[in-house]
Each structure stands twice: as structure tokens, then as C-alpha cells.
Amino acid sequence: MDSEPDPRTPDGPRTPDGTDTPGGPSRKTVLRAAAAVGMAVPVALMGIPALARTADGQGKVLDATPSCDDGDDPTPPQMEGPYFKPNSPERASLLEPGTTGIRLTLTGYVFTRTCQPVSRVLLDFWQADTNGAYDNTGFRLRGHQFTTAGGAFTLTTIFPGLYPGRTRHLHVKVQAPGHPILTTQLYFPGEPRNNTDPIFDPRLLMNVRDVGNAKQADFDFVLNIEGQSPSPTPSPTGGTWSVGTAYRSGDRVTHGDRTYECLQAHTAQRGWEPPSAPALWRAL
């Protein structure tokens, strides 16, 4: 009797750089392509196992990132660390005048466990600068964005420096509308400190490659939800802002002695009060 296919192995032969050979594209490849153009995934391809990442840049195939083909493997969480700051500016590029370092572009998608791309997911990134230091007074190398209707995101930043005691990494919080926050970290393959960092997790390795003098990376988040996020329930006009409430664009709340209109769908959390979150609320 034939054994069941392993969802963590490629569905066909792959070249050393991780690309598909004529044996057929991976399921994740088909899903990413379909999400990019807004197409439905053919039913015949829904049973093909996926390889979430490809190679480490030296021809070695990486351990599979948790993928959305088996229904029980969401992206693992990790500690927040001591340097998170709420109320980051909404922006897809963390580059500012004077920012130094190797440019890094990270792209990817946010999927459910059933491989449906999730729109309007909040992704809040923060990281060390090229010297390994975090900006704790302002918002340098900090920012949040939302996934597109096809579940895609793009972050433009720099290759982070080494922080004492840690390997190279990016921090991120991911929240689909109406769902809990996933806090985790993303790692770079081939880093010597990956072997000594006590919280390093190979399932959180990005696929990273050199492109000229810059670096490009990709990573797909899989959230522990089964379908596309439900639309948040509208809050009563004039209601009081409260933590844990799912707000959608156009909702109006009161906070203090002022009224605010919601600009971006999100689930409220401490630190995102309307007066201190201009990317989410507009005073009326």
C-alpha cells in the first residue's frame, strides 16, 4: 500500500535553489499565484502538499515552515521581547532619510489554515538598526501595515544588526480582523548565532536571497483560523471605545470628551486608544 504523502516534503523534484522542476508546481506556489491575481484555486490542486520555503542560498533545503495544507500547523508564536512600542506609524517602508544598512525587502501572504488568503490583516513590524540598537524614543524602524484584498504584504526595511545574546531577527505582530494577535519573530538562514540563540525556531526562517547589493526575503504567515475573517460587528454610533471590540471603517466612538471615526478595521487593544492612534482613528 502506498504511504500518505508527507505535507512537509516537496511534491516533486526541485532544483538546488528550490524552484520547481517539470514534476509540477507546489501547492503553495499555486496558491500564491492565484492570490496575486484574485483567481480561485483549482480543486484538483487542493490535495497537493506544499513546501513552504525553498533553500538557504547554499543549495540546502530548509525545514518546512508551517504551511496551510494539513489544517493544524499555524505559524508558531514567540516572545514579544522588551522593545515593542504601540502606536507605530502606518507605512510599508521603514526607510527614512539617514537610514543606513543593506536594503531588505520582505514579501509574503497571510493565509488561514485552509489556505485562504486573509485581507486587512494588521502586521506591526519592529527591529534593530544596522548596529543592533532599537529606537526606544521614536519610531525608527517601526511601522504597521495591512494586507491587500489578496492577503499580500510587502515590507521595505534594512538587514538588521546583531543584538547582544540574540541571532539576527525581525519582530512582528499579526492580527486578522476579529481574531487574536499572533506575536512572533522571523529569522535569517545561515546565521552562526542560530545555533546558540535559546529561542531560535527554524520554522520561522525566511527564504532570503541576495539581489545585487540588496536582499529579498519571503515568508507566509498561517493564522490559526479556518476561513476568511468575518466582518467586524459595527459598533453603535456614539458608543464608548473599549478594548477587545472589533471596529470597522466608518464606526464612530467616544473617548474622553471627543468623538472619533474609525479609519481602518481592527480589534482594539490597549495602547491603540483613539487620541494616540491617528492611523486608526480620526477626531470629528
Side-chain angles (χ1 to χ4, degrees), residues 53-104:
R53 289 173 297 112
T54 53
D56 65 356
Q58 299 176 343
K60 179 181 177 182
V61 176
L62 301 172
D63 294 334
T65 294
S67 57
C68 52
D69 57 357
D70 53 14
D72 63 357
D73 234 356
T75 301
Q78 286 213 317
M79 63 183 293
E80 178 181 282
Y83 299 124
F84 172 70
K85 290 180 62 177
N87 307 321
S88 69
E90 182 178 356
R91 55 186 179 181
S93 175
L94 305 186
L95 302 180
E96 301 178 18
T99 300
T100 60
I102 299 172
R103 179 169 296 197
L104 170 69

Side-chain angles (χ1 to χ4, degrees), residues 135-191:
D135 179 10
N136 297 314
T137 58
F139 291 94
R140 186 163 40 90
L141 295 176
R142 300 173 182 269
H144 73 271
Q145 61 179 280
F146 296 86
T147 56
T148 67
F153 70 91
T154 298
L155 174 71
T156 304
T157 183
I158 61 166
F159 193 55
L162 287 170
Y163 174 78
R166 294 296 317 281
T167 191
R168 213 178 302 271
H169 61 282
L170 302 175
H171 291 271
V172 61
K173 288 180 179 286
V174 187
Q175 184 182 30
H179 290 281
I181 298 171
L182 166 69
T183 300
T184 194
Q185 301 181 35
L186 301 181
Y187 297 101
F188 296 81
E191 289 289 325

Side-chain angles (χ1 to χ4, degrees), residues 40-58:
V41 179
V43 175
L45 292 173
M46 291 305 289
I48 301 175
L51 181 69
R53 289 173 297 112
T54 53
D56 65 356
Q58 299 176 343

Side-chain angles (χ1 to χ4, degrees), residues 2-280:
D2 294 336
S3 60
E4 290 293 323
D6 181 0
R8 291 184 175 272
T9 59
D11 50 273
R14 298 174 77 86
T15 61
D17 66 357
T19 57
D20 298 302
T21 65
S26 73
R27 182 166 179 266
K28 178 65 69 71
T29 300
V30 174
L31 288 164
R32 287 170 62 93
V37 297
M39 294 174 57
V41 179
V43 175
L45 292 173
M46 291 305 289
I48 301 175
L51 181 69
R53 289 173 297 112
T54 53
D56 65 356
Q58 299 176 343
K60 179 181 177 182
V61 176
L62 301 172
D63 294 334
T65 294
S67 57
C68 52
D69 57 357
D70 53 14
D72 63 357
D73 234 356
T75 301
Q78 286 213 317
M79 63 183 293
E80 178 181 282
Y83 299 124
F84 172 70
K85 290 180 62 177
N87 307 321
S88 69
E90 182 178 356
R91 55 186 179 181
S93 175
L94 305 186
L95 302 180
E96 301 178 18
T99 300
T100 60
I102 299 172
R103 179 169 296 197
L104 170 69
T105 302
L106 170 63
T107 59
Y109 291 85
V110 179
F111 291 109
T112 67
R113 287 189 291 113
T114 54
C115 281
Q116 297 181 46
V118 190
S119 63
R120 303 302 300 162
V121 175
L122 173 67
L123 298 110
D124 196 343
F125 292 95
W126 70 103
Q127 66 170 88
D129 64 17
T130 191
N131 297 314
Y134 288 84
D135 179 10
N136 297 314
T137 58
F139 291 94
R140 186 163 40 90
L141 295 176
R142 300 173 182 269
H144 73 271
Q145 61 179 280
F146 296 86
T147 56
T148 67
F153 70 91
T154 298
L155 174 71
T156 304
T157 183
I158 61 166
F159 193 55
L162 287 170
Y163 174 78
R166 294 296 317 281
T167 191
R168 213 178 302 271
H169 61 282
L170 302 175
H171 291 271
V172 61
K173 288 180 179 286
V174 187
Q175 184 182 30
H179 290 281
I181 298 171
L182 166 69
T183 300
T184 194
Q185 301 181 35
L186 301 181
Y187 297 101
F188 296 81
E191 289 289 325
R193 292 192 186 182
N194 288 351
N195 297 321
T196 58
D197 191 316
I199 67 170
F200 168 75
D201 189 333
R203 296 173 297 173
L204 294 168
L205 281 166
M206 296 176 286
N207 187 27
V208 183
R209 55 205 171 275
D210 292 325
V211 180
N213 295 323
K215 293 181 180 291
Q216 291 185 358
D218 59 75
F219 188 90
D220 295 331
F221 295 94
V222 179
L223 299 183
N224 192 21
I225 55 180
E226 294 184 356
Q228 170 65 291
S229 303
S231 298
T233 301
S235 57
T237 298
T240 302
W241 181 90
S242 61
V243 172
T245 301
Y247 294 107
R248 66 181 183 183
S249 179
D251 285 348
R252 295 187 178 186
V253 300
T254 57
H255 186 278
D257 58 355
R258 301 200 66 175
T259 300
Y260 296 84
E261 182 178 19
C262 181
L263 301 176
Q264 304 282 353
H266 67 284
T267 298
Q269 61 176 292
R270 297 190 185 282
W272 292 3
E273 290 83 357
S276 57
L280 300 177

